[in-house]
Amino acid sequence: MFTDSHCHLDFTEFDADRDELIKRCAQLNINRFIVPGITAKRWPRVLELCQKYQNAWPCLGLHPWWIAKATDNDLIVLDQMIRKNDIVAVGEIGIDGVIEDIDKQTEYFVKQLHIAKKYDLPIVVHHRKSHQLIVSELKKISLPKSGIIHAFSGSYQQAKAYIDLGFKLGIGGTITYPRAIKTIKTVKKLPLDSILLETDAPAMPLNGFQGEINSPEKITDVFQQLCSIRTESPEKVQQAIEQNLLQVFNLE
Ligand SMILES: [Zn+2]
């Protein structure tokens, strides 16, 4: 069985054929989906979707791209929603070094780390040119549950800093691009017990599919690419990845 450990199934791109998509995934043995919420406005939709599809699991968080508009009230609502619903992680949260207002991003990242700590939940982290900032905040707060560094790209040294803090790395379509030399080299060396698979659909199309809507169905392509990079057998890789997933998320 495969799991897409990060896909935005709630996005409107999937409105036209979401039921069919889930069926097509089942035929490919892709049977679980972790669905991160990105803004307060979208959280109810993520919860609704995960109620409808029993194999979709919700995370709620304020994504750094939309932090400019986020308010303290959103954090209060987040706290309440987590208390009232079965959420598997706080996410997607993080710091994006390419967009503006690193201070507000950091403030909201840290406040959401505290919510994760309060509810004993793992986190799903967005990064871009921000490894140092994120690692330094993670070191300051000791989280009872770690989580996933989503769409990891970077050096082995950067990966190691997260692994040392107990985190796993979400590996997605990036490794299908031959130009991602540094990340591919890192993924080759990573301990197998630190890897999870994800698509980030509908974003981040794989190499050869640029300009198209990405889909959780592509998780099998990411898996094949991962196996071509690793030395272990595909059976061993697949088994390890599902085990890793269950170490991060409580999917009961
Ligand atoms: Zn995402």
Side-chain angles (χ1 to χ4, degrees):
M1 157 146 88
F2 292 102
T3 302
D4 190 344
S5 72
H6 191 117
C7 56
H8 299 280
L9 274 183
D10 58 307
F11 279 26
T12 50
E13 281 89 336
F14 300 120
D15 282 356
D17 77 335
R18 196 174 283 105
D19 286 342
E20 292 306 312
L21 170 65
I22 304 261
K23 279 183 204 153
R24 290 197 304 271
C25 284
Q27 278 160 12
L28 293 166
N29 205 19
I30 304 160
N31 289 312
R32 280 193 295 225
F33 311 90
I34 309 290
V35 186
I38 54 166
T39 62
K41 211 175 141 191
R42 284 186 168 271
W43 295 334
R45 225 183 120 62
V46 170
L47 291 176
E48 214 176 286
L49 181 134
C50 294
Q51 249 154 26
K52 181 174 178 196
Y53 303 103
Q54 291 296 313
N55 52 356
W57 307 83
C59 316
L60 300 183
L62 297 166
H63 189 295
W65 289 1
W66 291 275
I67 284 296
K69 284 190 178 164
T71 63
D72 280 339
N73 189 57
D74 293 339
L75 296 167
I76 296 169
V77 175
L78 179 61
D79 189 293
Q80 285 168 350
M81 286 184 117
I82 292 178
R83 197 175 333 134
K84 289 185 193 149
N85 297 279
D86 284 328
I87 306 300
V88 297
V90 174
E92 140 175 27
I93 62 174
I95 302 173
D96 191 312
V98 178
I99 60 164
E100 284 194 349
D101 208 346
I102 295 290
D103 287 346
K104 191 177 180 190
Q105 287 190 57
T106 307
E107 179 196 337
Y108 275 72
F109 178 54
V110 172
K111 283 179 173 168
Q112 293 181 93
L113 293 181
H114 282 280
I115 294 177
K117 189 168 182 170
K118 178 176 169 188
Y119 290 102
D120 200 15
L121 285 170
I123 56 172
V124 176
V125 181
H126 169 100
H127 74 82
R128 188 162 53 150
K129 298 198 190 307
S130 55
H131 288 313
Q132 274 186 341
L133 290 169
I134 291 171
V135 168
S136 109
E137 293 307 334
L138 292 176
K139 278 184 177 163
K140 283 185 218 161
I141 182 168
S142 77
L143 292 172
K145 299 264 168 35
S146 50
I148 299 183
I149 307 305
H150 145 62
F152 177 80
S153 64
S155 68
Y156 181 73
Q157 197 192 3
Q158 285 160 337
K160 185 78 169 49
Y162 293 116
I163 293 169
D164 288 347
L165 289 164
F167 281 81
K168 306 214 185 281
L169 309 168
I171 304 301
T174 305
I175 59 169
T176 64
Y177 289 85
R179 66 164 188 263
I181 299 165
K182 184 166 69 177
T183 302
I184 291 168
K185 228 173 120 185
T186 302
V187 170
K188 201 179 216 138
K189 262 177 84 177
L190 286 176
L192 192 55
D193 66 3
S194 67
I195 297 174
L196 288 177
L197 282 182
E198 58 167 58
T199 63
D200 202 18
M204 291 184 76
L206 275 53
N207 189 22
F209 298 91
Q210 289 92 330
E212 288 183 25
I213 293 171
N214 195 10
S215 158
E217 293 161 278
K218 290 284 189 291
I219 209 79
T220 49
D221 298 76
V222 180
F223 172 70
Q224 269 166 23
Q225 180 62 16
L226 175 65
C227 290
S228 75
I229 294 171
R230 301 289 305 193
T231 54
E232 302 91 347
S233 70
E235 294 74 24
K236 194 172 173 192
V237 173
Q238 190 179 11
Q239 211 183 12
I241 283 166
E242 288 305 296
Q243 239 168 40
N244 299 344
L245 180 95
L246 297 175
Q247 271 175 23
V248 176
F249 300 111
N250 178 11
L251 304 183
E252 277 171 17

